[in-house]
Structures are given as structure tokens and as C-alpha cells.
Amino acid sequence: MRGSSGEVLDFECASLNAAAEHLVRDWGVPSCVSRWAQQGLGGVDLEACVRTASSGVPLAATLRLTRDGLRGRFQVVGMREAEGLVLWLLEPEGEDPAVVEGALEREREARRRAEAALEAARDALAREELLRQALSKARMVAWEWTEARRAVTWSQDAAGFFGQSPGALGGSLPSFLSCVVVEDRPRVARGIEQALAMDGAYSLKFRCRHQDGTTHWYEAVGQSFHEEERPHRMVGVVADCTEREAAEAVLREAEERYRLAARATHDVLWDCDLETGRVRWDGGQEELFGYGPEAADHDFAWWTQRLHPDERESVSRGLHDFIASDEDAWQAEYRFRKDDGGWVHVLDRGVLSRDAAGRPVRMIGSMMDITERKRTLERLAEEAEFRERFIGILGHDLRNPLNAITLSARALRRRAPLSSTQQQMAQRIEASAERMGTMISDILDLTRARLSGGIPLQVAPANLSNVCRQVVEELSAVHPDRYIAFDVDGRSDGLWDADRLAQVLSNLVGNALEHGAQDAPVLLRCLDLETRQVVEVHNPGAPIPAPQLATLFDPFRQAGAAREKGRRRGGLGLGLFIVREIVHAHGGSVDVRSSELDGTTFTVTLPRDARRASR
């Protein structure tokens, strides 16, 4: 740990072996050496470590430790390692410095041998890799022209390099030009004449057509030499750059395609130099924001001043935090001021480029106009909220006439005398009104969950086993031909909304009776898991189809068609959705398992105290 001027401030532990981890934990050894003395560790201090790190002279001392009345002592051997130290703590077998020094010398010698072997291995690997790359990738030929010979001398297999038959290149420049494509010959001839006229380096690109019909790109680089202002020699190499030219062509095409796409989507491309703080817009700003070409080059301050005041601090801080982080991609939505003073909603996205040391140096991204999308989403949200409120008001107002129907049917049944047909009709009216009341309650719960962020609870001390018994009794009366087994394991008291949990259990057990095997019992279990309470509802029978499991708790979903025999009641497909919302409002979870072998089991897990979740 060094200061701004490079001085050593402290040494902090960077890594430990397994034995050292136990020692540090048992004796409470601080990670920084400067705190050892404060913790009662003596014999090794910061100054001694600094001397070893600066001079390279090994450290040999006795470390004394004290904790909770216990005392310990270890022999310390230290050596400089890179920018820090390596400390060995040895059991105090003896106090003979010669023994310690001998062990230290053997350690140094072994380290020297290992480092020398490692360096030799690295050199061998580097040479081997360099040779491999040179043989596999350096596709080139060399050539030489001299005034004395008036001829060109090519390196071996030059004709095959240019895709020609052996001897086709000849020894003259005109014979070489015959291999060049017709369109490039005048330019290559002028380039050779200019290279002969100039004393110095030259570079030239051209194309050659191979005998197999393919065309390759080549680049020639070399040097011409003059004596008494007359060219007397030219040397150079020619490299096949076909793949590079193809890659550059693809890159140019991709850049052009990206620019056209940006124009089509009304995006503004930007490039930020993080070292200078300058930002360059690559067109599109006039169409999107109304700014002229002078705004294409600006700084962070110019951009920050045009952020909406309500979002300026959060967006600017978020961008600077991102640059200082280890992440590579940034995204933000905000309002940006146009040149005419209006505001446009933009989606700004960027990626970060780092140098070899990991420092951020550049950021590239695009700004997309999402104003219309924001307006559309806001309009859809308003329409959805209006529909939810309308459904809620409608469900609430339907209860009054529905109660009147229920009371009238009930009063009609109690009047005498009524024929059996009239009794059945009155009973059917009352059952249908009850079913409609359940639907209205489900709709109101759906509206509360959507508009209020969850179903409200009335949390109070409750006993879940009593709630289970109540649900079992009610459903047994409705289904006298079915058996519901109930089991309680451990305590079942807690702080919950008992009425809402009764609604959960009624839905789950009712579904089990409706969709399970008609000749098999339904099992309801109440389990105590210390801080949690678990309720399981199990029924044998046909499993829930796998594709339906993913959407089983979504609103307006049905878990398969109800059985005709013993059918409980139809519904809107809100039962399991409301079950999930009530359980989540308690801070719990609900899961389902279903298979042909084991049947179907719904598991509800609740915290013992639901007050925190209901706030």
C-alpha cells in the first residue's frame, strides 16, 4: 500500500494458504501489518517489513501472539516478492539462526532455479510461436531490380504466388505487368516509374488475375537507391492482402449499412473520447433535435445542460458511475431539449472501450427518439387503468341487485306451500346468485391486485389449523360424496389474515375436488417448519398438462376442463391468480408439482409473521 509519491504506507494481506487461514482466524491477526502491535502481536513491525521490501535482505524474527490469556510464538521468515512480501510462520522448533538461514538459502536457491527454468520455457514458447506465425501467415515474395542487369529477380515460387504458371513472370517489368489486371496496369506502371525517379521508400496496391479465374489483391512495399541522381537498384516485397481488402470492404459496407439504418430509425450516433471529454455526433442531430452542424462536436457539459432538469442529476450521475464501474454497456431513458426549446424522449445506449490496462478511453452509442412510443405506452396504461377501474366499479355496483336476488330466492324457498318444481327453481336462482357473487368477488380482487399493487390484508393472530378445519367442513357439506383428509403436524399459529387464507384454501381444495380423481380422497396437510408454516393440498388423478404449468397462476386461465360429475362451479379463471396474490401479500410463495405417478400437489409456504410483508 503506497502513497502518492510511492512511499510504503502499509502492507496488507493479499493471499493465505490453508494453514495460515486457521492461524489468522484463531489468533485474530489483522490484515494490515500496522495494526499488529495494536492487537498484541510483537516481534514483527511495519519498519522491519519495509526494510526487507526495499533492501531485499530476508527477515528473520520471532512473532509473539496474545489473545484471551493465551500466548503463542512462531518463527517468521520473510522475503521480498514483487511489490510486497512473503512471510512464512514456522513452529518454533529451535532458536538456531543458522538453521533458519540455511532453510532460507535453500528456499532462495530453489526459487532461482524455478524462475530460470520458467524463463527458459517462456523464451522457447515465444520463439516457437513466432516461427509458427511466420510460416503460416507471412504469405509474401521478394524481388530486386538492378540497373546493371536491367532485369528483375524474384524469390522462389513467385509465379505460383501470383497464380501463374512457372516462368510466366520472366525477368522484366513488362512481363510482370502482363499478370496485372488490365484496369490496374497504367497505375502500376506510373507507380514503378515514380519509385525509380525517387530515392526512398514506395508503396503500391494492385490486382492480379490467377489462372483459375480468381482475382487477388497485392501490396508491394520497398526501397529505391540512387547513385549520382540515377536509379541503380530497387528492392521490395509483395504481400497477398486479398483477405484484408475483403475484410475492409465488408467493414465499409457494414458502416454504410449502419449509417443508413441510423438514418432510417432517426438515431443519432455519437462517439465520446473519455480522455478529452469531447463528444462527436455523426449526423442525424438536425433532423432529431434541430441542431446544426456546429453542435456535432461538443463536450459533456453541453450535453448535460440539455437534459431535463428533473432527470439531469440522475442521468449524469448514472453515466459517470457506469464509466467508473466494470460494466461494458450503458442504457438510459430521459428527456432531451431540442434547439427550439421542446423536449424529446430518447433511449440512449452506449458501449465502453478500454485500453490494455483496463482504463475506459472511449464510448460509442446512439440516441433513439422514443417520444411516440412513450406516448403510446402512456395512452395504453391510461386505457388499461380505466378498464380496471370500470370493472371494479361494475363489480361493486352489481352486488346490490345480486343481494336482492339472493334474499328474494331465499325468502321464496321458505314460503309454503311450494311445489317441488318451484323449490328447485328457487334453489337454482339462489345457487346461480351465489356463483355470480363469487365471480364478482374475484373481479374485485383482480382489480385491487392490479391497481393497488396487491391484495390488502387484515393481519391478526390466527390459527391455521382452525382455518383448515373450517374449509374442510364447508366443502364436505357441498361434496357429501367426497372424503377430505386433514392432518396437522406441529403448531399452526401466526399473524395472518385468516379470511384471506380461508379463501386460498377453499380455492385449492375446491380445485382438488373438481379436477382430482372422483373416487380418491383429497389430502390437506398443515406443517410446522419453525419460522415458516406450510400447507399442502394433494389429490391423485390426471396431471396438469406441462404446457399449462407455466401460466397456471395467470388471470383468466383454466387448468383444463372441469369434470362433469361432481363439478364444483364454473369461473373466470381467477381463482389461482387470487391464490397467488394473497400468498404473495403475506410474503409467502405457492408452488405446484404434478405428474402421472404422484398426482398434483399445491404447496403454500407462509412466514410466521405477515405484518412486514403487508406494509
Side-chain angles (χ1 to χ4, degrees):
M1 301 171 64
R2 297 182 181 273
S4 57
S5 59
E7 75 278 13
V8 176
L9 301 178
D10 204 349
F11 288 88
E12 185 177 14
C13 177
S15 63
L16 301 167
N17 64 4
E21 288 179 354
H22 291 293
L23 174 69
V24 168
R25 182 180 66 251
D26 295 340
W27 288 96
V29 179
S31 61
C32 292
V33 174
S34 61
R35 295 173 52 197
W36 284 13
Q38 302 173 8
Q39 296 294 110
L41 280 74
V44 177
D45 55 14
L46 180 60
E47 289 74 17
C49 294
V50 171
R51 285 195 299 270
T52 299
S54 59
S55 65
V57 177
L59 170 67
T62 301
L63 181 64
R64 297 180 297 276
L65 304 93
T66 303
R67 183 175 183 182
D68 300 332
L70 298 176
R71 295 183 179 181
R73 187 175 61 176
F74 292 86
Q75 187 68 31
V76 178
V77 178
M79 291 182 62
R80 181 171 63 188
E81 174 72 15
E83 291 294 323
L85 294 171
V86 176
L87 298 181
W88 286 273
L89 272 65
L90 311 174
E91 294 289 346
E93 296 179 355
E95 300 294 336
D96 188 357
V99 175
V100 176
E101 182 64 27
L104 189 60
E105 181 60 31
R106 289 193 297 274
E107 175 67 23
R108 286 199 296 267
E109 180 62 26
R111 179 181 292 272
R112 283 195 294 269
R113 289 197 301 270
E115 290 177 350
L118 181 60
E119 188 64 26
R122 288 173 179 167
D123 290 343
L125 288 175
R127 289 193 297 270
E128 182 180 346
E129 178 63 17
L130 182 61
L131 179 60
R132 187 190 67 80
Q133 291 182 1
L135 293 176
S136 63
K137 295 185 178 180
R139 299 182 56 198
M140 59 179 61
V141 294
W143 66 281
E144 181 183 20
W145 172 88
T146 60
E147 183 184 16
R149 296 182 57 201
R150 293 285 178 176
V152 179
T153 302
W154 292 94
S155 60
Q156 186 178 6
D157 198 26
F161 178 76
F162 289 108
Q164 308 300 318
S165 59
L169 292 180
S172 65
L173 290 176
S175 62
F176 163 70
L177 287 176
S178 65
C179 302
V180 178
V181 298
V182 176
E183 296 83 0
D184 292 352
R185 289 176 187 175
R187 180 169 52 83
V188 173
R190 288 194 303 269
I192 293 175
E193 292 177 359
Q194 292 173 359
L196 286 171
M198 298 174 56
D199 187 3
Y202 69 90
S203 177
L204 187 64
K205 278 188 179 181
F206 56 90
R207 292 170 294 172
C208 286
R209 191 175 303 280
H210 288 205
Q211 288 184 326
D212 60 4
T214 60
T215 300
H216 286 236
W217 275 93
Y218 296 94
E219 182 175 15
V221 294
Q223 180 84 25
S224 64
F225 301 92
H226 286 213
E227 285 184 358
E228 298 179 355
E229 298 183 356
R230 290 176 57 85
H232 77 97
R233 185 177 179 228
M234 288 184 67
V235 295
V237 294
V238 182
D240 188 336
C241 60
T242 306
E243 293 182 359
R244 187 181 68 190
E245 284 293 319
E248 291 177 354
V250 171
L251 181 59
R252 288 192 298 269
E253 182 181 356
E255 290 179 349
E256 181 64 19
R257 184 165 55 246
Y258 187 66
R259 291 180 188 275
L260 293 176
R263 291 179 58 188
T265 57
H266 305 288
D267 284 3
V268 173
L269 308 181
W270 53 265
D271 188 344
C272 176
D273 187 337
L274 297 178
E275 295 182 353
T276 63
R278 301 301 299 177
V279 180
R280 183 173 61 85
W281 279 351
D282 195 6
Q285 72 274 4
E286 186 171 358
E287 182 179 358
L288 189 59
F289 303 132
Y291 293 107
E294 68 281 356
D297 192 343
H298 55 270
D299 56 14
F300 267 126
W302 185 91
W303 170 76
T304 304
Q305 291 170 1
R306 283 155 181 79
L307 299 177
H308 195 280
D310 295 343
E311 301 159 347
R312 182 176 300 153
E313 182 179 355
S314 61
V315 174
S316 178
R317 184 176 62 251
L319 178 58
H320 285 85
D321 291 345
F322 161 74
I323 295 174
S325 70
D326 296 332
E327 299 179 1
D328 295 324
W330 170 77
Q331 177 175 310
E333 291 187 15
Y334 55 86
R335 286 166 288 180
F336 192 77
R337 192 176 71 212
K338 299 193 295 183
D339 190 43
D340 61 5
W343 298 96
V344 56
H345 287 271
V346 298
L347 172 62
D348 204 347
R349 292 171 290 187
V351 294
L352 202 61
S353 176
R354 305 177 186 273
D355 61 12
R359 294 185 298 267
V361 295
R362 188 181 182 190
M363 192 171 175
I364 301 176
S366 66
M367 302 170 69
M368 177 187 293
D369 183 359
I370 59 170
T371 305
E372 287 301 320
R373 187 176 72 181
K374 293 284 289 187
R375 291 173 181 169
T376 301
L377 292 176
E378 290 174 358
R379 184 171 61 253
L380 292 176
E382 291 175 357
E383 293 176 356
E385 184 176 356
F386 171 77
R387 288 194 297 268
E388 298 284 358
R389 292 186 181 277
F390 175 77
I391 292 174
I393 293 172
L394 180 63
H396 184 272
D397 291 346
L398 283 176
R399 283 191 166 183
N400 290 332
L402 189 62
N403 289 336
I405 293 174
T406 303
L407 293 174
S408 298
R410 195 169 297 164
L412 185 63
R413 287 180 57 197
R414 293 172 181 172
R415 290 180 58 184
L418 286 178
S419 65
S420 59
T421 302
Q422 292 172 333
Q423 282 283 353
Q424 291 178 358
M425 292 175 63
Q427 185 175 1
R428 189 175 303 143
I429 292 172
E430 186 176 351
S432 298
E434 181 182 354
R435 177 182 168 193
M436 187 177 294
T438 302
M439 292 182 181
I440 292 174
S441 297
D442 289 347
I443 290 176
L444 292 177
D445 284 339
L446 171 67
T447 305
R448 293 189 189 100
R450 291 286 182 86
L451 296 181
S452 304
I455 294 179
L457 302 179
Q458 299 294 327
V459 178
N463 188 291
L464 195 57
S465 63
N466 294 337
V467 176
C468 292
R469 289 190 181 91
Q470 174 188 344
V471 171
V472 170
E473 291 174 0
E474 292 175 354
L475 293 178
S476 296
V478 177
H479 300 270
D481 56 335
R482 300 293 301 279
Y483 176 65
I484 304 174
F486 174 50
D487 180 41
V488 179
D489 185 0
R491 66 192 184 103
S492 58
D493 56 309
L495 292 170
W496 304 300
D497 187 330
D499 293 337
R500 286 295 188 182
L501 291 184
Q503 188 177 355
V504 168
L505 296 174
S506 180
N507 266 297
L508 295 179
V509 177
N511 281 342
L513 292 170
E514 181 178 354
H515 298 286
Q518 299 298 299
D519 56 350
V522 172
L523 175 62
L524 174 61
R525 299 182 63 198
C526 189
L527 308 174
D528 172 23
L529 295 182
E530 296 182 357
T531 60
R532 294 172 298 158
Q533 188 73 42
V534 175
V535 179
E536 292 183 348
V537 178
H538 171 77
N539 66 272
I544 300 173
Q548 294 185 13
L549 288 174
T551 59
L552 193 62
F553 293 96
D554 292 348
F556 307 111
R557 297 280 184 172
Q558 297 280 358
R563 297 178 181 273
E564 291 300 326
K565 182 180 179 180
R567 182 175 183 141
R568 179 166 54 100
R569 62 177 184 272
L572 299 173
L574 295 175
L576 291 179
F577 169 77
I578 294 171
V579 165
R580 184 187 64 184
E581 293 299 314
I582 294 175
V583 173
H584 285 182
H586 280 81
S589 62
V590 55
D591 303 292
V592 59
R593 303 186 309 274
S594 188
S595 65
E596 188 74 36
L597 180 63
D598 299 327
T600 301
T601 301
F602 284 84
T603 303
V604 176
T605 304
L606 300 169
R608 191 68 63 180
D609 187 348
R611 288 177 297 182
R612 180 175 301 178
S614 63
R615 292 189 182 123

